[in-house]
Amino acid sequence: MSQASNRSAELICTTNPGLEDLAFEELQQRLDEGGLKGTASERLPARIKGRLRIRYPGPLSSLVQAAGTLRSVHHLLRPVEQFLLPTETPLSTVGERLLEAPLPEMGPSTPFRVSSERRGEHPFGSQDIEREAGTALVERFGAPVDLTGYAVEVRVDVVESLCAVTVQLTRKALSYRHDRTYRPRVSLKPNVAYACLRLARLGPGTERLLDPFCGSGTILMEAADLLPGTELWGSDWSQRAVAGARANLEGAGLEGAGLKDRFRLQAGDARTLAELYPPASCDALVTNPPYGARLGRDIAFPRFYRDFLEQATAVLRPGGRLVVLVRKRGAFNVAAQRTPGLRIRHVQIIETSRVFPGIFVLQRSG
Ligand SMILES: C[S@@+](CC[C@H](N)C(=O)[O-])C[C@H]1O[C@@H](n2cnc3c(N)ncnc32)[C@H](O)[C@@H]1O
């Protein structure tokens, strides 16, 4: 993480749209744990989805330190300024604003880079924004552009007509946690896995957690960090996924935490869970079945969800939670409502890579 300025005490955390509230809740918790109770209570309106903007009464460095431990977010940004782009001269306006924007991090010998994310219809691309902003900063500071060895990363993000200039304080995304040898395209981002686990309200009393569509094991890896005393069970009908999840868990350096003794991975169909696991043996199930896009295009989802939920109910202990991230929200909702012994407690719609799955939190009746 690069040095944060102490002059400003505002911070932006980026996350998936839909997870901003959860990220704020987590931040408050981290501040409490760091002895900074109640200090980040002011949440400012963020005009861009997936951004949590906080004002902090103490030094920014303390806030950055606490926020650096967040599991639900991707990056930490220091807000610089926001402005609207005129339709006629959008790019030259970016350049002009960067000639004036308050950037105390920059100096004549500070290697820097500009990055940009763009959303909406524009007659220019994100590379044009980067070029325009980079040229302005070279002109202003005489600083060298260095795409890999940079000390400062200036972000110039454009969402529709809004342009947000920030300094990115995290080099690697906080959501990038473990190097993985097996990473299928459908694997979940660890911060979304964290959000699902958080919604399951697990704690030291959670003896056993099951992910019956474990894929590369993201949810189990996240749980291994969070719940040191919990047994972690995972299954997937693909032998390749089971072997990959095992390699990932072993390679993640989690074995030192006694993981070998507490994880159990096996191949199996989530529609026959009752044959794989004893009745009422799991305190919680947290999982991410195929979306039906890249994976599972030929699945008849109403039936698939019904079969899975019936089996999940059988292996879940009374009162236990079942958290499922699904893309076919309508079909899942119907199946959940029709499954005896399950109640829907909460549904949270999020955005991941331009799709809008829902996190369903269900509970087995006591
Ligand atoms: C969306 S992926 C899960 C991704 C996982 N959360 C990760 O981070 O890698 C869905 C997984 O479900 C598995 N799957 C599909 N149908 C299944 C079934 N009937 N029973 C068990 N696993 C199944 C697939 O092999 C795939 O690994």
Side-chain angles (χ1 to χ4, degrees):
M1 209 178 295
S2 60
Q3 278 295 316
S5 158
N6 276 343
R7 278 178 231 159
S8 164
E10 273 187 31
L11 185 72
I12 291 173
C13 306
T14 67
T15 185
N16 295 65
L19 291 182
E20 300 90 343
D21 292 354
L22 187 141
F24 185 56
E25 214 180 272
E26 191 198 2
L27 177 64
Q28 298 283 45
Q29 188 188 330
R30 298 281 174 259
L31 287 165
D32 285 359
E33 286 164 4
L36 303 162
K37 202 171 172 63
T39 39
S41 51
E42 195 181 0
R43 185 172 162 189
L44 304 174
R47 288 163 72 187
I48 298 179
K49 282 185 193 151
R51 290 190 173 197
L52 169 68
R53 188 168 180 157
I54 310 126
R55 182 178 292 141
Y56 181 71
L60 183 64
S61 53
S62 306
L63 181 56
V64 169
Q65 199 178 356
T69 64
L70 291 175
R71 287 185 162 263
S72 54
V73 310
H74 299 299
H75 282 289
L76 305 182
L77 316 175
R78 182 182 77 75
V80 176
E81 64 175 23
Q82 289 193 158
F83 51 89
L84 290 176
L85 289 177
T87 1
E88 300 78 32
T89 53
L91 287 177
S92 55
T93 301
V94 167
E96 282 158 23
R97 297 297 293 238
L98 279 157
L99 288 173
E100 303 288 331
L103 288 166
E105 297 85 349
M106 292 286 298
S109 54
T110 315
F112 77 100
R113 79 171 193 186
V114 177
S115 58
S116 175
E117 281 178 20
R118 191 185 59 80
R119 275 188 176 219
E121 296 284 318
H122 303 103
F124 53 84
S126 51
Q127 284 184 347
D128 299 316
I129 305 168
E130 287 164 2
R131 202 175 311 113
E132 189 73 32
T135 306
L137 292 176
V138 170
E139 184 188 322
R140 177 174 167 192
F141 294 104
V145 174
D146 189 334
L147 297 184
T148 51
Y150 59 90
V152 175
E153 178 166 15
V154 177
R155 275 181 66 159
V156 184
D157 299 314
V158 171
V159 179
E160 309 299 344
S161 59
L162 184 71
C163 181
V165 181
T166 56
V167 172
Q168 184 164 301
L169 305 174
T170 37
R171 195 161 263 242
K172 210 164 70 171
L174 296 174
S175 51
Y176 186 93
R177 296 199 239 288
H178 303 294
D179 288 327
R180 295 195 245 176
T181 47
Y182 177 65
R183 189 192 290 272
R185 284 178 70 200
V186 293
S187 60
L188 206 56
K189 282 269 190 322
N191 72 309
V192 177
Y194 171 79
C196 293
L197 288 163
R198 194 177 168 99
L199 290 168
R201 300 221 190 121
L202 310 172
T206 310
E207 284 177 24
R208 204 165 293 124
L209 170 76
L210 168 64
D211 177 356
F213 296 94
C214 71
S216 63
T218 315
I219 291 171
L220 298 174
M221 273 197 278
E222 197 64 19
D225 280 343
L226 291 169
L227 303 160
T230 302
E231 252 184 81
L232 303 168
W233 288 358
S235 44
D236 196 292
W237 73 357
S238 150
Q239 289 280 6
R240 190 159 173 251
V242 173
R246 186 168 286 125
N248 285 342
L249 281 155
E250 284 168 1
L254 296 163
E255 272 175 286
L259 199 71
K260 233 176 189 151
D261 299 329
R262 64 186 178 103
F263 82 86
R264 174 174 150 189
L265 292 174
Q266 61 179 323
D269 191 324
R271 293 165 298 181
T272 58
L273 288 181
E275 291 169 22
L276 300 171
Y277 305 101
S281 54
C282 303
D283 296 295
L285 269 75
V286 178
T287 198
N288 158 219
Y291 275 179
R294 285 188 189 127
L295 208 64
R297 256 183 244 159
D298 49 354
I299 292 177
F301 277 94
R303 176 75 201 258
F304 180 81
Y305 289 146
R306 220 169 47 232
D307 292 347
F308 160 59
L309 287 174
E310 191 188 294
Q311 295 283 306
T313 311
V315 299
L316 193 59
R317 71 156 169 80
R321 285 192 167 210
L322 167 58
V323 177
V324 195
L325 177 73
V326 288
R327 186 176 175 202
K328 311 264 182 198
R329 300 192 309 257
F332 188 84
N333 192 41
V334 172
Q337 293 200 32
R338 290 187 182 161
T339 306
L342 276 187
R343 274 182 56 198
I344 302 178
R345 307 295 305 214
H346 176 72
V347 185
Q348 192 156 331
I349 298 170
I350 64 165
E351 184 184 340
T352 57
S353 315
R354 315 259 156 125
V355 296
F356 297 86
I359 306 177
F360 281 75
V361 182
L362 314 176
Q363 191 165 26
R364 185 176 161 185
S365 40

